[in-house]
Amino acid sequence: MNRYNLSFIRDEDLFNHVKETIEQYSFKMDLKKFNNNLIDPIKLTFDAKVYGKTIEEIINAEIVRQLDKSNSNVLGYFQQNFFKYIYHKESKKSNWIVPSEGFDIENKEEKIYVEMKMKHNTMNSKSSSATYMMMQDKLLQDNEAVCMLVEIIAKNSQNIVWTVSVNKIKMSNERIRRVSIDKFYEMVTGEKEAFKQLVEVLPIVIDDVLKDIEQNSIKNSVFEELKSIDDNILKSLYLLSFKKYEGFENLNMQNLL
């Protein structure tokens, strides 16, 4: 194993956490999974025609989109659970936990409670209000508590008061903060550029893990299964969605794509 030389996490813990994350990635796609949310063959027909692509190219793009959506949740796991392993560079200790319910991350000793979001623009007004009210409730329970909305991809490097509108009324509290991930890493580790250092070493760790597990290719049986329905891939898509509709037993889609 390489020496990653981060002052706030053991090499073994970093390697194992990246490994756990990659092992949750989706490497398989079959027809059942592909059609889990009911594929719209009419949209795929439009996409193929309008963008000048073959139906196979459009299906491949849809497979990648579905895998990407699934894997976004995996990256949330990586970011949140990373705090089980990192520690302050001076004390080599951490009081941060990832509870099974409630806040995403907590430090009960320092009374800091964190909700983590991937992007600054992924919360609508309703979810923002609900999150803020949860934090406000925590402050009412404990007048020493500090709550934070930590954003992985924020507009700025920041640790500011979080101001929201609840029922059209602007609300703010000095102990409810909006914090970018770099500032949060600095707070947890005592290392000003901790997040930047992690980003620099992460590709190396991922390469090491992929060598170890020998897994980095997608196993895709979608086309094989579609051809078992009909040799015409486009026709198979329509039969997959509309086979019980009137007249579709005689569907004629020869030479359309």
Side-chain angles (χ1 to χ4, degrees):
M1 188 188 302
N2 283 342
R3 300 252 343 141
Y4 305 124
N5 295 317
L6 296 180
S7 64
F8 49 88
I9 186 170
R10 295 170 59 237
D11 286 353
E12 184 179 1
D13 287 337
L14 176 56
F15 179 90
N16 287 336
H17 185 50
V18 171
K19 183 176 180 180
E20 288 170 3
T21 302
I22 290 175
E23 286 175 339
Q24 292 184 55
Y25 256 65
S26 294
F27 287 101
K28 295 181 180 179
M29 179 63 74
D30 56 26
L31 189 57
K32 182 179 179 181
K33 185 175 179 180
F34 178 69
N35 196 44
N36 191 47
N37 291 319
L38 300 179
I39 288 297
D40 182 354
I42 294 175
K43 179 185 183 301
L44 297 186
T45 303
F46 267 92
D47 289 350
K49 290 291 188 182
V50 171
Y51 294 123
K53 303 288 185 180
T54 66
I55 194 64
E56 288 83 1
E57 289 172 323
I58 292 298
I59 291 171
N60 271 324
E62 174 62 18
I63 289 170
V64 170
R65 187 197 69 80
Q66 289 191 22
L67 290 173
D68 181 65
K69 185 176 180 181
S70 172
N71 293 335
S72 293
N73 296 328
V74 177
L75 269 298
Y77 167 89
F78 171 79
Q79 294 286 2
Q80 182 179 348
N81 286 274
F82 197 65
F83 290 91
K84 291 179 180 178
Y85 306 106
I86 63 178
Y87 45 74
H88 196 280
K89 68 174 184 176
E90 302 295 341
S91 66
K92 305 299 182 185
K93 294 180 180 179
S94 174
N95 299 312
W96 298 91
I97 63 170
V98 179
S100 57
E101 58 183 14
F103 285 90
D104 291 335
I105 306 165
E106 296 180 359
N107 186 326
K108 291 187 176 179
E109 187 171 299
E110 297 183 30
K111 297 187 176 184
I112 299 174
Y113 301 87
V114 174
E115 279 292 291
M116 184 171 284
K117 300 298 178 187
M118 286 301 296
K119 295 182 181 180
H120 67 88
N121 60 351
T122 53
M123 296 178 71
N124 58 31
S125 58
K126 186 175 181 180
S127 62
S128 293
S129 296
T131 301
Y132 193 89
M133 295 302 287
M134 179 180 73
M135 293 179 172
Q136 194 171 54
D137 185 58
K138 189 66 184 179
L139 299 192
L140 291 174
Q141 295 172 34
D142 184 348
N143 59 16
E144 295 182 348
V146 175
C147 294
M148 297 181 177
L149 175 71
V150 172
E151 297 166 316
I152 309 300
I153 303 176
K155 286 185 175 181
N156 300 295
S157 177
Q158 62 189 23
N159 181 350
I160 60 176
V161 174
W162 186 23
T163 302
V164 300
S165 292
V166 178
N167 297 325
K168 297 183 179 181
I169 300 173
K170 281 195 172 184
M171 304 185 72
S172 64
N173 187 305
E174 187 66 30
R175 291 188 289 128
I176 299 180
R177 314 290 298 177
R178 187 172 182 175
V179 184
S180 57
I181 192 67
D182 64 321
K183 291 297 185 183
F184 188 61
Y185 267 74
E186 180 182 354
M187 181 190 311
V188 173
T189 67
E191 184 75 62
K192 187 175 179 64
E193 296 184 349
F195 184 65
K196 175 244 189 185
Q197 292 170 10
L198 171 64
V199 167
E200 287 176 335
V201 80
L202 194 55
I204 300 169
V205 186
I206 293 171
D207 282 342
D208 288 347
V209 169
L210 289 174
K211 289 174 188 174
D212 184 68
I213 64 176
E214 297 181 348
Q215 172 68 284
N216 61 358
S217 60
I218 297 171
K219 293 178 174 61
N220 175 13
S221 64
V222 171
F223 290 104
E224 182 182 337
E225 292 179 77
L226 283 172
K227 286 187 176 181
S228 72
I229 298 173
D230 193 280
D231 285 338
N232 184 311
I233 296 292
L234 182 60
K235 182 177 179 180
S236 294
L237 286 173
Y238 277 89
L239 292 176
L240 189 66
S241 299
F242 304 137
K243 63 183 176 182
K244 294 184 179 179
Y245 284 17
E246 292 291 338
F248 274 78
E249 69 275 9
N250 298 316
L251 184 65
N252 181 8
M253 305 207 76
Q254 297 301 318
N255 302 318
L256 293 183
L257 285 176

